[in-house]
Amino acid sequence: MTRVVRWDGADDWQWYDGAALCRGDAAALATAVGDAPLNVLLATPQAWVGAQVLPRVAGRRLRQAVAFAVEDQLAGDLEAQHVAVGRRHADGRVEFAVIAGDALQAALARLRAAGLRAVSLTPLASLLPPDGAGVLAEPDWLTVRLAGEASLCGPPQDILPLLAALNPPALDWRQLPGGPPPPPDVPAQVTQVPAQALPRLAAGKIAFEFA
């Protein structure tokens, strides 16, 4: 059975042993999961998601359309980006995820070196709805998705000032145990989310493909 685990892209992993939340490095995770296939929730700014109205093409042409549509948001060369495409909505918007190709290869190399059998890499931001402004508030990390705009994530002390400056409409603030509440000057509807819900929320979300 595929296990859902959370990874910060460095060496901080979170997973569940029954109902107990565990945290450790790659060696500890490898000991805990053995050869089990892993759906890795990637909590790093290098992997981000968005949604835009795109032509009704498929496969490689659709991935190229995504890359051209977000070219001004990319940190590197257009051809060096790895794009994953998700669901198309009735209004023509297509969900997508982007990561630099070298960052993806580095992540895969680290997984292989640790003896971990990842079958998918899913940006944590894809767990938030694509049609509104939402925040996933973890104890030391905020992940933000602002409708079709590029997602962002980072420590609360970095992200909260950005939220105040962006002044989004009422936020869907999903607060995990120990996660920070919204600041008083940021309008938000708070929902308490049990940490055990993350694996369920990850089902069917965008994942990067790799050989």
Side-chain angles (χ1 to χ4, degrees):
M1 183 177 69
T2 302
R3 302 275 296 268
V4 178
V5 299
R6 182 194 183 280
W7 182 32
D8 71 345
D11 204 24
D12 182 50
W13 291 86
Q14 295 178 33
W15 67 95
Y16 280 92
D17 183 359
L21 175 63
C22 303
R23 189 167 188 167
D25 59 14
L29 175 63
T31 299
V33 302
D35 193 41
L38 303 177
N39 177 6
V40 179
L41 298 178
L42 198 53
T44 169
Q46 294 174 309
W48 54 276
V49 300
Q52 291 199 21
V53 176
L54 295 170
R56 289 193 172 274
V57 294
R60 183 178 180 182
R61 292 180 63 196
L62 181 55
R63 292 191 295 272
Q64 290 175 332
V66 170
F68 282 117
V70 301
E71 185 173 8
D72 61 339
Q73 302 176 49
L74 299 177
D77 183 71
L78 184 65
E79 297 299 322
Q81 309 302 312
H82 188 91
V83 175
V85 177
R87 188 160 64 99
R88 181 184 290 273
H89 296 259
D91 61 2
R93 287 180 305 123
V94 176
E95 295 183 54
F96 57 83
V98 180
I99 188 172
D102 57 354
L104 176 61
Q105 292 307 314
L108 296 177
R110 294 191 67 145
L111 292 168
R112 288 191 293 266
L116 297 169
R117 188 158 70 94
V119 295
S120 63
L121 293 177
T122 300
L124 190 62
S126 71
L127 275 58
L128 292 165
D131 53 359
V135 175
L136 188 65
E138 301 175 276
D140 53 4
W141 197 257
L142 293 182
T143 301
V144 181
R145 190 170 188 177
L146 302 176
E149 301 299 319
S151 61
L152 59 150
C153 61
Q157 64 268 24
D158 294 342
I159 298 300
L160 290 176
L162 290 176
L163 279 179
L166 291 170
N167 192 29
L171 288 166
D172 175 8
W173 193 280
R174 303 186 177 196
Q175 186 176 14
L176 276 76
D185 57 343
V186 175
Q189 177 66 46
V190 179
T191 302
Q192 303 293 331
V193 177
Q196 296 92 329
L198 287 186
R200 174 178 54 80
L201 293 173
K205 301 303 182 184
I206 305 170
F208 294 113
E209 298 176 356
F210 50 88

